[in-house]
Amino acid sequence: MPHLIYLTAHNFTVMSLGKAARSLVTPVRGVLRCSASALSRSYAAVAEARAVIEHELETIRAAGTWKAERIITSKQGPQISVDGSRGNILNFCANNYLGLSSHPEVVQAGIEALKTHGAGLSSVRFICGTQDLHKKLEQTVAEFHQREDCILYASCFDANAGLFEVLLGPDDAVLSDELNHASIIDGIRLCRAKRLRYKHMDLSDLETKLKEAQSSRMRLVVTDGVFSMDGDVAPLRGICDLAEQYGAMVFIDECHATGFLGPRGRGTDELLGVMDRVHIINSTLGKALGGAAGGYTVGPKPLIDLLRQRSRPYLFSNALPPPVVACATRAVELLLASNEIAQSMTAKTMRFRNKMTQAGFTIAGSAHPICPVMLGDARLATLMADDMLKLGVYVIGFSYPVVPKGKARIRVQISAAHTDEDIDRCVDAFIQTGRKHGVIS
Ligand code: PLP
C-alpha cells in the first residue's frame, strides 16, 4: 500500500509529517509526556489513518460521486441566493414541500420561544430537558396523525435508529422493503430480530417472506410511505391486507408524505384510506413541517412509553431546542386549521408534471411533488443540472450509487411556495437545456 511505503521510506519524525497530519494529533500535551518511541508510534498511526482517508477520498473523486455543497446565502425558499451565482435563483431541490420553512408565522413562533424558553435545554429529556413546549408539540403531532401518543427525537434518523431495537427481539421478525431509507436500514441493523428484505413494493414477495416469518413471536412490516428517489407511493392497502392475513404490524416512514399527502395532508395512510390499519409512523419535522429539524414516532401509548424508557437516541441525546419545537408546533397548527397550502402544492405539482410531459420529458412517479426527470445517463444529468443553474434554476442530478445504474435523473421538488410563473420558468429552462442536449426535439 502506498502509504506504508511512504512511512518506511522516511526516517520517521514529527517533522516528516505534513502540517495537516500534525494537526490530526492535537491536543498533544498528554502525548508529549510519552517516550520518544511511543510518540513516533502515535504519529505513525495518525499518518497511516490520514493516508487511508486520502486514498478513500480519491476513490470517491475518481468515481465521479463526490458531493459538492453549494452555499446558500439567503433563507430557504422558492428563490434563494447562492454563493457564486448572480441574482436570485429559483430553487427546486428542497424538501420544503409546503413552503413553511420561512413562513412568517412559523418564524415568529420560533423567535417568541427563543425569548420565553431560551436557546436550548443543556439536557436530555428525562433529566431536565422537557419543557411544556415539548409536551405541547407531542400532543399536537399525535392529534394530527390521529394516534394515541408521540415521542420527539432530534431527527427522524434518530427515530428510525431508536425504534426497532426497543420493539423487536431475537424471537421477532422484521420485513423491510429493499429500497427503504438508509436510516431504517441502520435502525434495523441495531435490532436482533430476524431480518427479511422483500423486493421493492412487491406484494407477492412480501407474502412469501410473511409465510417464512410465521414461527416468529411478532412480525413488523416496514416501508417508506413514499420513496424519495422516485416519488413512488408504497402499496399500503395491499400491505395492510397481507399484514392482517399473516398477523403482522405495519410501520411507515412518512418523511415525504406528512403534511401534504391525502385529503387533509395526514400522509400516505390517509391518501390510501388505511389510517386505522397502520400501527406505527415515524416522520420528520425537517421537511414539510417547518423544515428546522426533529423527528418523531407516533403510535400506541404503551409503545411510546417504552421508547421513553429504552430508546437510545432519545435517552442519550439533547432535547430539541425550544425555537425549533415552537416552529414545528406552529407549522402543524397551520395544517390542522386548513388544507389550503397542501392543495396549492398539489395543483403546482400537476402543472409541472403536465407541462413537462407535454414537452416530451419522462417524469417518474404519479402525483407526488418529487418529480424525477428521467435522463438515464449520469453525465447528462450533471451537465443539464449545471446548465439549468446558468439559467437561474437550481436542480440536482442524481446518479449511481444513489439511484440504480442507467437511471440517472434530475430530481425536481415542487413547493406550495412556488408561483405558477416559477413553475413555468423551470419548465422553459428544462425545454431549453433538454433541446441543447438532445433529450427532447
Ligand atoms: N426517512 C426518510 C425517508 C428520509 O428521506 C429522511 C431524510 O432524508 C429521513 C428519514 C431522516 O430524516 P431527518 O432529516 O429528520 O433525520
Side-chain angles (χ1 to χ4, degrees):
M1 301 240 292
H3 54 275
L4 290 179
I5 294 164
Y6 168 83
L7 286 176
T8 49
H10 285 71
N11 184 11
F12 194 79
T13 66
V14 173
M15 293 321 292
S16 72
L17 288 169
K19 190 173 162 215
R22 289 201 303 276
S23 74
L24 267 176
V25 290
T26 55
V28 293
R29 261 189 224 133
V31 178
L32 285 175
R33 275 190 231 114
C34 308
S35 70
S37 70
L39 182 61
S40 76
R41 276 202 304 276
S42 159
Y43 280 134
V46 171
E48 181 165 0
R50 188 182 169 81
V52 169
I53 292 167
E54 279 180 349
H55 174 70
E56 197 67 27
L57 292 174
E58 202 37 58
T59 311
I60 298 170
R61 280 191 201 99
T65 53
W66 186 268
K67 289 178 272 307
E69 296 175 2
R70 290 206 171 103
I71 297 168
I72 299 172
T73 53
S74 60
K75 45 189 175 183
Q76 186 61 280
Q79 305 218 356
I80 50 174
S81 314
V82 177
D83 210 14
S85 295
R86 259 198 256 133
N88 276 351
I89 304 288
L90 273 181
N91 179 15
F92 281 89
C93 47
N95 300 304
N96 184 19
Y97 296 115
L98 297 175
L100 297 181
S101 303
S102 305
H103 189 287
E105 287 187 42
V106 172
V107 173
Q108 190 54 34
I111 292 170
E112 276 159 29
L114 188 59
K115 287 184 187 154
T116 57
H117 286 69
L121 271 304
S122 308
S123 170
V124 297
R125 288 283 300 273
F126 80 94
I127 297 181
C128 60
T130 298
Q131 289 175 321
D132 50 351
L133 292 182
H134 296 94
K135 297 312 281 180
K136 184 179 171 197
L137 177 55
E138 285 172 341
Q139 235 177 319
T140 312
V141 170
E143 183 194 336
F144 181 81
H145 284 286
Q146 295 175 215
R147 297 308 201 275
E148 285 176 22
D149 205 353
C150 168
I151 176 174
L152 293 174
Y153 287 89
S155 67
C156 185
F157 203 108
D158 277 356
N160 285 339
L163 173 72
F164 304 106
E165 188 188 20
V166 171
L167 179 61
L168 304 171
D171 297 335
D172 304 315
V174 57
L175 304 99
S176 175
D177 187 294
E178 64 182 351
L179 292 191
N180 276 339
H181 189 260
S183 54
I184 295 179
I185 295 168
D186 286 6
I188 288 175
R189 275 192 195 135
L190 292 171
C191 84
R192 293 198 295 144
K194 181 175 177 183
R195 296 173 213 159
L196 299 155
R197 220 157 48 125
Y198 63 90
K199 291 193 192 115
H200 181 46
M201 304 212 302
D202 184 331
L203 290 176
S204 112
D205 195 37
L206 173 59
E207 181 164 22
T208 307
K209 301 291 179 337
L210 276 165
K211 282 180 185 161
E212 256 179 66
Q214 282 308 287
S215 59
S216 296
R217 181 185 64 169
M218 293 194 288
R219 287 153 293 283
L220 179 67
V221 181
V222 173
T223 181
D224 280 4
V226 173
F227 293 83
S228 62
M229 282 303 133
D230 287 313
D232 48 351
V233 177
L236 266 193
R237 257 173 200 277
I239 289 175
C240 290
D241 289 346
L242 285 173
E244 281 156 21
Q245 190 179 342
Y246 290 96
M249 293 179 292
V250 177
F251 162 95
I252 54 176
D253 175 321
E254 286 283 85
C255 283
H256 295 277
T258 299
F260 55 92
L261 272 201
R264 296 168 306 149
R266 299 302 198 261
T268 317
D269 56 339
E270 188 193 40
L271 178 76
L272 299 177
V274 290
M275 279 188 91
D276 53 347
R277 299 169 72 196
V278 169
H279 308 96
I280 307 164
I281 296 175
N282 278 2
S283 193
T284 184
L285 304 170
K287 300 193 195 300
L289 302 184
Y296 57 84
T297 299
V298 289
K301 186 167 181 340
L303 169 66
I304 304 301
D305 286 345
L306 187 62
L307 290 170
R308 285 192 208 284
Q309 300 305 313
R310 295 255 171 87
S311 184
R312 292 167 69 84
Y314 181 82
L315 289 173
F316 298 108
S317 188
N318 208 30
L320 271 178
V324 168
V325 175
C327 287
T329 306
R330 191 68 201 115
V332 181
E333 283 170 351
L334 287 172
L335 301 179
L336 280 167
S338 159
N339 64 352
E340 223 172 88
I341 309 175
Q343 281 177 351
S344 116
M345 187 216 61
T346 307
K348 282 156 195 163
T349 298
M350 294 326 290
R351 184 181 185 95
F352 179 80
R353 283 180 169 274
N354 292 338
K355 289 197 164 206
M356 287 290 284
T357 310
Q358 277 161 19
F361 287 100
T362 304
I363 313 294
S366 51
H368 197 274
I370 292 173
C371 306
V373 181
M374 303 306 289
L375 298 168
D377 182 63
R379 211 173 151 64
L380 174 64
T382 309
L383 286 176
M384 269 188 70
D386 289 347
D387 282 349
M388 294 283 289
L389 188 61
K390 286 178 200 147
L391 296 174
V393 179
Y394 185 11
V395 286
I396 294 279
F398 286 86
S399 51
Y400 182 80
V402 180
V403 295
K405 273 190 181 140
K407 295 222 168 159
R409 80 264 327 250
I410 290 178
R411 188 178 73 170
V412 171
Q413 286 171 288
I414 307 294
S415 164
H418 287 126
T419 62
D420 284 349
E421 293 71 44
D422 294 340
I423 303 283
D424 295 351
R425 254 188 72 194
C426 180
V427 173
D428 289 345
F430 263 111
I431 291 174
Q432 201 175 320
T433 51
R435 283 194 185 131
K436 175 179 164 189
H437 292 279
V439 176
I440 55 165
S441 46

